[in-house]
Amino acid sequence: MKDFALTFDGFDPAEEGLREALTSTGNGYLCSRGTAEWEDADGVHYPGTYVHGIYNRETTILGGLPVLNEDLVNLPNWLVLKLRIEGEDAIRLADVELLSYRHELDIHQATVIRDLRFRDHAGRETALRSRRFVSMADVHHAGIEWTLTPQNWSGRVELISAIDGRVTNKGVARYKPLEGRHLDPVSPRTFGPEVIALKVQTRQSNLYVSHAARTRVFEGDEPVAVERGLYQMEDYIHQVLAFDVHQGTPVRVEKMVAFINSRDPATSDTLERAGTSALRYSDFSDALQRHVSASDELWRDCDMVVPGDDRVQLLLRLHIGHLMQVCSHHTVDLDAGVPARGLNGEAYRGHVFWDELYVYPFLTFRMPEVTRGLLMYRYRRLGAAQAAAHDAGLRGAMFPWQSGSDGKEETQRIHLNPLSGRWEPDLSHNQRHVSAAIFYNIWHYFQATNDLAFLADYGAEMMLEIARFWASIAVFNAERGRYEIHGVMGPDEFHEKYPDSTEDGLRNNAYTNVMVAWLCRLAHDVLALLPKSRAEALCERLDLTDEELTGWEDMSRRMYVPFHDDGIISQFEGYEDLEELDWDAYRAKYGNIQRLDRILRAEGDDPNRYKLAKQADTVMLFFLFAEDELAEIFERLDYAYCSDTARRNIAYYDRRTSHGSTLSFVTHAGVLAAYDPRSSWERFLVALESDLRDIQGGTTQEGIHMGVMCGTLDLVQRSYPRIHIRDGVLYFDPRLPRRLDGLRFAMTFRGTPLMVAFEGGCLRLSVHPEGVSRPVRVGIGSDVRDLCPGESTSFVLKNNGLAEPLVT
């Protein structure tokens, strides 16, 4: 199906890294890049396999200064299958004449396929079809199938099937000066004549990882007798399978692989379990069928149908497919967070940021158990967040900007500017707003699921400790009669401190302060939702007093929000005193100015001097909250919120934002949906294409951007249908771009699966008659209806629910 196939015709070495990232395959436990099995890491190709939670720390000495980094570890390369013809060197794409080449990701079946014909230096023409998958049915397994057909020759071939533990983390050019060796060898081993296995250990985190592979050859359905040779070192093992092939007669090679690590449940010796599992695993055809069936089940819950635009349809499905590679039902019990760059590259070192804010909405309305599991990643690191707050002289829980294995702050204190070649200070650990985002995520998970057990056992504790943190970092300005927060950074990231200041951070970032006002009000409501005995026990355990709760209530009414220019919310206090940038001059000089911070610093200038932003900051408020919610927050703070507040602020900051993060296109598309449909759709398309077209100049090959991929899905699911939950009712207020007319998707609200369809100027909502569905309340404006299992209801939409003007 064309709307489930991402296809590349012809081989382009300059594009191969990008294609490898885009055609990765995974199952929510592990993910492997779409690298050809016969290629090694060489500057063009980069085989990489990553598993949730397998991190390791190493120290690099840079200029005499020790720099500690924790990386998501590139694990042993299990892909290795190489072809030798008549004893000659193994075939590589660079050494043969390609007669045809096609590289495809079947998105629906999560299978990467290569079809190629090549002529070697001896004139032999050979056809090779490669298929592989990482099983969505059998979490610890994957398979590769080759179909090899000699087209104008017969002779002797040898297949090398290997597991290579000599890998390092070298997939990101700017990290290459940093130590990338994370694995120590333990032992190779065989399990009978067909299975090879390798065990390694991470050097600092002391995790054992074992891979095992069973390789067989078939002609039709009949096994081919092969001669097997073995070679092994402490960190590498391979088999050589030798056999004869005949002109025009295809042979199939199956390599079935098992992956086990010491974090897996029910595991004693990882090597023994991997080897035994590979030995017993089914053949490729049966394993693929189970995998496809499991993928089908996920697609029934996750698909979004856009009948009017083939390109949008394909890219939405590509993004859904990548989300399922990283976050599936297999992720639930893994103690996994959401790496900002997925599991198919090493950018951001595999760390977990606030990008989950963009990931959870789609997951929560389809696989809420996955969101619950991902939130547990944060809960298990609550102790580390509490320790971080204590060490900073604060109370509560201060979650890190970058999180990895154990919840410590993993943000670098220096980073390399690729334009200047200099290592510069990195103050982004001051983005304390990540804690507010975690609070927001917990609350909206609860709103969508009504999962009171999670709130009582885990969520409320995190939320209360986050509120306590903000109360401890805030200071009361008696002259203003307002609470203030100093020394932090907002989402913008271009502004780390005031120009020429020796102090880190900024005063009164508006986004942060408004979020704090909102969560301080909600913290009291959270306690009221809990059973009385649980609320009392939690307050006792946290030593939470009535005085503290009263203080939070006061903060919810008296947080300071800076303004300037007649109703424009200042991004932070003093923003209005900064210089305006000559945007036209910089665009003319550099073209792409998304990373203005690097450009200005390379010129010897400082982005802190200017009214600019890398990405949405103040504008985030209009993205995260419905209009009436935000108006309530500002009115509670005794600040004016007018009918044009959102429109004016969005326009003001849009002119001063470089969109150096693809998340910014998502945010601006979302907030512009109600005010400027054409511009909203343009931003949506940029965000939708951003990874496939690699608009950030080479970054996608280092790992896809989970936030923007999931953010585009959330735009279609939430922003354009204008979904929000209030008082237990799922409200819609659609403003669909015309190209989304006919949109259909499934979603789950408070345990009840719904089918949502926009057709013929109507919104139709249906509940399946079977299963454990409960009645739900849905509405548009004041028209609120109860919807029971087996029932459907339709709402006639104003202006057919379509945004104007028509976008062509």
Side-chain angles (χ1 to χ4, degrees):
M1 292 181 286
K2 66 179 182 178
D3 48 4
F4 276 105
L6 179 65
T7 303
F8 303 99
D9 288 312
F11 176 68
D12 182 353
E15 291 290 312
E16 186 66 5
L18 173 62
R19 295 176 182 182
E20 289 176 354
L22 292 171
T23 61
S24 62
T25 49
N27 64 0
Y29 168 79
L30 70 88
C31 191
S32 289
R33 290 168 59 84
T35 312
E37 296 90 5
W38 53 85
E39 299 288 354
D40 300 319
D42 61 0
V44 173
H45 309 278
Y46 191 76
T49 293
Y50 310 91
V51 170
H52 273 301
I54 305 293
Y55 290 98
N56 189 72
R57 289 190 177 94
E58 290 293 338
T59 299
T60 306
I61 306 300
L62 289 174
L65 180 69
V67 177
L68 180 66
N69 282 291
E70 182 175 69
D71 289 348
L72 186 70
V73 178
N74 184 15
L75 298 176
N77 182 14
W78 62 278
L79 301 176
V80 185
L81 265 180
K82 298 188 178 186
L83 171 67
R84 291 204 299 243
I85 301 174
E86 299 291 359
E88 297 180 359
D89 289 343
I91 297 295
R92 297 178 63 248
L93 294 180
D95 299 331
V96 297
E97 178 187 356
L98 281 176
L99 305 175
S100 65
Y101 184 89
R102 187 176 179 88
H103 177 183
E104 179 179 303
L105 176 68
D106 183 324
I107 300 167
H108 193 276
Q109 297 190 1
T111 304
V112 62
I113 304 160
R114 279 183 173 84
D115 279 298
L116 60 150
R117 290 176 55 246
F118 61 86
R119 182 184 295 121
D120 63 26
H121 70 95
R124 293 175 293 238
E125 295 182 9
T126 306
L128 174 61
R129 178 175 172 83
S130 166
R131 295 193 297 168
R132 77 169 183 258
F133 66 93
V134 173
S135 180
M136 196 63 78
D138 307 311
V139 61
H140 297 290
H141 292 274
I144 303 172
E145 178 194 67
W146 275 14
T147 302
L148 180 69
T149 308
Q151 297 198 311
N152 66 350
W153 61 279
S154 300
R156 189 77 167 170
V157 299
E158 294 171 314
L159 285 174
I160 301 166
S161 177
I163 303 172
D164 189 354
R166 300 168 300 173
V167 298
T168 59
N169 278 53
K170 292 296 180 185
V172 179
R174 61 190 175 278
Y175 299 167
K176 286 183 178 178
L178 304 173
E179 178 58 60
R181 187 166 67 100
H182 294 293
L183 299 176
D184 280 336
V186 178
S187 63
R189 183 177 165 185
T190 59
F191 290 79
E194 296 180 335
V195 176
I196 59 173
L198 183 71
K199 183 177 185 177
V200 296
Q201 183 180 24
T202 55
R203 287 160 51 85
Q204 168 270 331
S205 53
N206 300 319
L207 297 173
Y208 289 104
V209 179
S210 294
H211 296 357
R214 187 193 72 216
T215 310
R216 294 172 176 168
V217 182
F218 299 86
E219 188 172 301
D221 293 328
E222 296 299 316
V224 173
V226 300
E227 294 181 11
R228 293 180 184 264
L230 179 69
Y231 178 79
Q232 61 188 31
M233 303 184 297
E234 61 180 3
D235 53 4
Y236 175 90
I237 184 170
H238 80 218
Q239 278 188 328
V240 179
L241 288 69
F243 53 96
D244 293 324
V245 294
H246 306 283
Q247 181 177 348
T249 302
V251 294
R252 286 190 307 106
V253 181
E254 294 185 359
K255 182 175 182 179
M256 310 305 292
V257 186
F259 312 87
I260 303 293
N261 72 79
S262 54
R263 299 173 82 243
D264 292 327
T267 298
S268 176
D269 177 25
T270 60
L271 188 61
E272 178 70 27
R273 186 179 171 196
T276 302
S277 188
L279 192 64
R280 296 171 178 169
Y281 197 37
S282 57
D283 63 20
F284 183 89
S285 178
D286 288 346
L288 177 62
Q289 184 55 53
R290 283 202 307 279
H291 162 68
V292 170
S293 295
S295 295
D296 284 344
E297 184 178 355
L298 283 175
W299 278 104
R300 282 193 288 273
D301 292 332
C302 295
D303 197 13
M304 305 178 98
V305 179
V306 181
D309 195 311
D310 290 345
R311 181 69 173 180
V312 169
Q313 180 70 89
L314 172 64
L315 292 178
L316 286 174
R317 285 175 168 162
L318 176 66
H319 292 182
I320 293 168
H322 271 287
L323 172 62
M324 293 192 302
Q325 288 186 28
V326 180
C327 301
S328 77
H329 55 290
H330 295 309
T331 316
V332 173
D333 296 322
L334 291 183
D335 186 30
V338 183
R341 302 297 285 275
L343 290 176
N344 54 11
E346 295 160 13
Y348 299 165
R349 299 176 178 82
H351 294 162
V352 178
F353 291 70
W354 79 318
D355 300 57
E356 61 194 12
L357 187 72
Y358 293 83
V359 175
Y360 288 161
F362 184 82
L363 281 176
T364 300
F365 282 121
R366 282 159 183 80
M367 296 184 283
E369 70 281 2
V370 179
T371 301
R372 191 185 207 269
L374 295 167
L375 288 171
M376 286 301 297
Y377 167 87
R378 294 296 192 181
Y379 180 77
R380 294 185 186 106
R381 286 150 187 81
L382 177 59
Q386 290 166 326
H390 180 269
D391 292 344
L394 303 168
R395 302 184 69 206
M398 184 173 73
F399 284 91
W401 176 238
Q402 295 189 32
S403 181
S405 61
D406 57 10
K408 295 178 183 175
E409 179 62 79
E410 301 295 346
T411 307
Q412 279 188 307
R413 298 300 168 135
I414 59 172
H415 70 272
L416 179 66
N417 183 336
L419 296 184
S420 67
R422 293 191 298 267
W423 290 87
E424 299 170 347
D426 188 341
L427 304 180
S428 58
H429 61 275
N430 288 318
Q431 292 190 73
R432 302 303 178 200
H433 61 86
V434 65
S435 293
I438 293 169
F439 188 109
Y440 181 95
N441 292 335
I442 297 166
W443 178 246
H444 282 81
Y445 166 77
F446 174 71
Q447 290 291 97
T449 64
N450 203 31
D451 186 351
L452 186 59
F454 174 81
L455 190 70
D457 293 341
Y458 311 109
E461 184 176 359
M462 282 191 282
M463 296 169 86
L464 294 171
E465 283 292 80
I466 289 170
R468 174 177 272 170
F469 160 71
W470 288 114
S472 72
I473 199 173
V475 295
F476 186 72
N477 183 330
E479 185 176 337
R480 282 180 171 152
R482 295 277 184 176
Y483 293 90
E484 302 183 356
I485 297 173
H486 300 170
V488 300
M489 287 174 58
D492 159 31
E493 294 191 344
F494 279 179
H495 293 94
E496 299 178 323
K497 60 181 184 177
Y498 290 98
D500 304 318
S501 173
T502 58
E503 295 183 9
D504 296 350
L506 304 162
R507 297 186 304 275
N508 296 313
N509 170 253
Y511 167 76
T512 301
N513 286 17
V514 173
M515 289 289 283
V516 169
W518 168 77
L519 68 85
C520 281
R521 179 189 65 81
L522 227 96
H524 189 275
D525 294 348
V526 167
L527 274 175
L529 287 167
L530 304 183
K532 184 178 179 181
S533 59
R534 175 57 181 160
E536 290 174 350
L538 190 55
C539 288
E540 183 177 349
R541 181 149 65 86
L542 297 179
D543 194 23
L544 182 60
T545 65
D546 289 340
E547 184 181 1
E548 276 191 273
L549 291 171
T550 300
W552 300 352
E553 170 74 12
D554 195 41
M555 286 177 62
S556 75
R557 297 181 181 279
R558 294 207 284 172
M559 285 299 302
Y560 176 65
V561 180
F563 287 83
H564 70 278
D565 289 352
D566 188 26
I568 297 299
I569 303 166
S570 297
Q571 184 174 305
F572 51 83
E573 188 175 0
Y575 180 88
E576 68 275 15
D577 298 326
L578 302 180
E579 300 175 37
E580 291 283 6
L581 185 77
D582 188 343
W583 291 85
D584 291 339
Y586 274 88
R587 287 191 180 98
K589 183 175 181 180
Y590 291 100
N592 186 333
I593 59 169
Q594 288 180 300
R595 291 308 305 265
L596 268 170
D597 58 334
R598 293 173 176 172
I599 291 171
L600 289 167
R601 288 193 175 106
E603 290 184 343
D605 206 340
D606 182 0
N608 290 303
R609 292 177 51 208
Y610 299 98
K611 292 187 179 81
L612 50 80
K614 172 184 175 184
Q615 59 191 328
D617 192 304
T618 306
V619 172
M620 282 295 300
L621 295 170
F622 307 101
F623 180 71
L624 295 181
F625 296 102
E627 187 81 0
D628 58 344
E629 290 179 295
L630 204 54
E632 283 184 12
I633 296 170
F634 275 80
E635 287 166 9
R636 185 181 181 87
L637 291 168
D638 198 25
Y639 288 115
Y641 192 94
C642 304
S643 59
D644 66 347
T645 293
R647 185 193 300 268
R648 293 178 62 231
N649 277 272
I650 292 164
Y652 178 88
Y653 284 105
D654 193 19
R655 295 192 298 271
R656 293 164 175 82
T657 302
S658 73
H659 303 294
S661 165
T662 49
L663 293 178
S664 194
F665 292 110
V666 169
T667 306
H668 280 260
V671 299
L672 287 168
Y675 303 109
D676 188 345
R678 183 187 297 276
S679 183
S680 172
W681 185 254
E682 290 170 354
R683 313 302 175 92
F684 169 71
L685 291 180
V686 173
L688 194 66
E689 297 272 2
S690 59
D691 267 7
L692 184 60
R693 299 204 179 276
D694 200 11
I695 66 169
Q696 290 192 320
T699 64
T700 303
Q701 69 178 2
E702 304 166 351
I704 56 94
H705 297 77
M706 282 293 292
V708 72
M709 283 192 169
C710 295
T712 60
L713 304 177
D714 187 39
L715 287 172
V716 174
Q717 163 192 275
R718 182 178 64 88
S719 296
Y720 290 135
R722 293 185 55 172
I723 288 175
H724 71 280
I725 301 166
R726 193 175 183 89
D727 300 325
V729 179
L730 181 66
Y731 285 101
F732 294 78
D733 183 19
R735 295 292 188 276
L736 262 63
R738 288 188 176 272
R739 296 217 190 149
L740 295 183
D741 192 19
L743 171 69
R744 303 191 307 276
F745 57 82
M747 64 185 298
T748 297
F749 176 57
R750 299 201 165 191
T752 295
L754 296 170
M755 178 57 68
V756 180
F758 296 90
E759 295 179 287
C762 291
L763 164 63
R764 184 173 179 81
L765 302 174
S766 308
V767 180
H768 199 276
E770 300 174 0
V772 293
S773 301
R774 305 173 184 87
V776 293
R777 307 193 74 205
V778 297
I780 291 183
S782 60
D783 185 0
V784 176
R785 305 175 189 178
D786 293 318
L787 194 59
C788 296
E791 293 183 348
S792 298
T793 191
S794 294
F795 296 89
V796 177
L797 302 176
K798 182 180 179 181
N799 297 325
N800 293 326
L802 300 178
E804 297 291 347
L806 173 65
V807 179
T808 59

